[in-house]
Amino acid sequence: MSWIDRVRQSIPFIAKRETPDNLWHKCRECGQMIFVKEYEENLNVCPKCDHHGRIGPKARFEQLFDGGRYQQLPTPAVREDPLKFRDSKRYTDRIKAARADTAEPDALLNARGTIAGKPAIVGVQDFKFMGGSMGLAVGAAFVAGARAAISDNCPYIIFTAAGGARMQEGILSLMQMPKTTVAIAQLREAGLPYIVVMTDPTTGGVTASYAMLGDVQIAEPGALIGFAGQRVIESTIREKLPEGFQRAEYLLDHGMLDMVVHRRDLPETLGRLVNYLEPARTA
């Protein structure tokens, strides 16, 4: 044994402390590192730059409903792979991976509860589930949410977050656009409010259908909202688009939105809107 080995073995090394990798969150906008606990206590909004992070349905329900209490509605059963689609992976494998990652059956969940004491049905899309893409399951869940609102005689509030139609379902995905539009028409025939809250990002076929048909159009600050991507539009019209194009504040200034509301103010704002718009209730 060399003298180097003898010296090395005689030194009392301290075991390396393991630091959990879930203690910090890096803001996608400003790059600041934030304690996860502080970030979650701030409703997943960056305390440094006010960037609104993406959140899933359960976190949204807990933030929105009175006391964080709600009843999740059953998810309608649909054919999961109607086209037997396969690209680099089988579509069924992609669905299984998304379910394992999110613990959700698909990209849209509905829940029943009260907001500022007023009953409401709320649907939330999760961008983490295959980009929040709209397929048969999302269309069926939207219709189920609208029918639940009609049954309860209360508003239907939808939080959108999607990259558009689900390519693996082809034309069947695009068929969800008129399907959801009919459900909105049924809400209006029943005299019930339909309120849309667009979150980052809301694009593609979702923007071209139920995201833009609300009685009141709301967005979170900085949300990306549009149909086609900015580069696609620029290459088509061969012009440079304005700064902030397709962001919530730009769309508000140009009449496509009614208001841009900070996440902490959403429960109060939605409660006030529901109070204004809800139908008269008979005793």
Side-chain angles (χ1 to χ4, degrees):
M1 180 183 296
S2 70
W3 69 270
I4 295 178
D5 293 329
R6 288 197 300 270
V7 171
R8 183 187 294 120
Q9 291 180 9
S10 65
I11 298 175
F13 286 100
I14 300 173
K16 184 180 178 181
R17 293 195 306 175
E18 295 293 333
T19 302
D21 57 3
N22 59 351
L23 286 179
W24 296 89
H25 169 81
K26 184 176 181 180
C27 177
R28 293 176 61 246
E29 186 68 21
C30 67
Q32 287 289 325
M33 299 298 291
I34 312 154
F35 273 118
V36 167
K37 184 178 180 181
E38 179 186 3
Y39 183 65
E40 292 176 348
E41 288 175 349
N42 203 42
L43 305 180
N44 295 77
V45 176
C46 177
K48 309 294 183 181
C49 68
D50 214 36
H51 173 72
H52 283 51
R54 297 168 183 170
I55 59 175
K58 294 182 180 178
R60 182 75 70 178
F61 293 148
E62 290 174 359
Q63 293 176 10
L64 189 64
F65 286 121
D66 296 340
R69 297 186 299 272
Y70 62 91
Q71 176 192 2
Q72 186 172 316
L73 303 185
T75 302
V78 298
R79 291 184 62 187
E80 292 195 345
D81 188 9
L83 303 181
K84 305 298 181 186
F85 191 91
R86 178 173 185 148
D87 44 40
S88 59
K89 293 182 181 179
R90 292 188 302 174
Y91 178 37
T92 51
D93 292 338
R94 293 188 183 277
I95 293 176
K96 289 176 183 177
R99 286 175 176 165
D101 192 30
T102 62
E104 297 164 7
D106 213 278
L108 175 59
L109 296 182
N110 292 301
R112 174 185 288 115
T114 60
I115 303 173
K118 302 293 184 180
I121 302 294
V122 176
V124 178
Q125 278 183 276
D126 189 356
F127 190 78
K128 195 175 181 181
F129 194 107
M130 296 186 68
S133 51
M134 177 181 62
L136 290 172
V138 168
F142 185 95
V143 171
R147 289 177 177 171
I150 293 171
S151 177
D152 291 1
N153 194 37
C154 70
Y156 186 39
I157 303 170
I158 186 76
F159 284 76
T160 61
R166 190 167 296 179
M167 297 175 60
Q168 292 88 347
E169 296 185 15
I171 189 66
L172 298 176
S173 176
L174 298 180
M175 288 178 181
Q176 306 315 302
M177 297 169 66
K179 182 177 180 178
T180 55
T181 303
V182 170
I184 295 167
Q186 292 174 340
L187 281 167
R188 295 204 170 119
E189 287 176 6
L192 297 171
Y194 171 58
I195 301 172
V196 178
V197 183
M198 285 174 274
T199 69
D200 182 66
T202 297
T203 60
V206 171
T207 303
S209 55
Y210 57 85
M212 283 295 178
L213 295 176
D215 298 313
V216 181
Q217 300 287 131
I218 304 173
E220 288 190 328
L224 174 66
I225 302 166
F227 179 65
Q230 183 167 335
R231 284 180 295 179
V232 173
I233 298 173
E234 287 180 337
S235 63
T236 301
I237 66 175
R238 298 181 181 180
E239 291 183 16
K240 185 71 176 175
L241 294 172
E243 185 70 25
F245 181 77
Q246 292 186 322
R247 293 292 173 178
E249 293 76 11
Y250 182 93
L251 299 181
L252 177 66
D253 291 341
H254 289 78
M256 289 186 68
L257 296 175
D258 295 307
M259 59 184 81
V260 175
V261 181
H262 196 283
R263 189 170 291 167
R264 64 170 175 267
D265 299 325
L266 276 173
E268 179 185 353
T269 301
L270 290 173
R272 186 166 63 249
L273 286 172
V274 169
N275 189 48
Y276 288 160
L277 299 174
E278 72 170 350
R281 296 181 179 274
T282 56

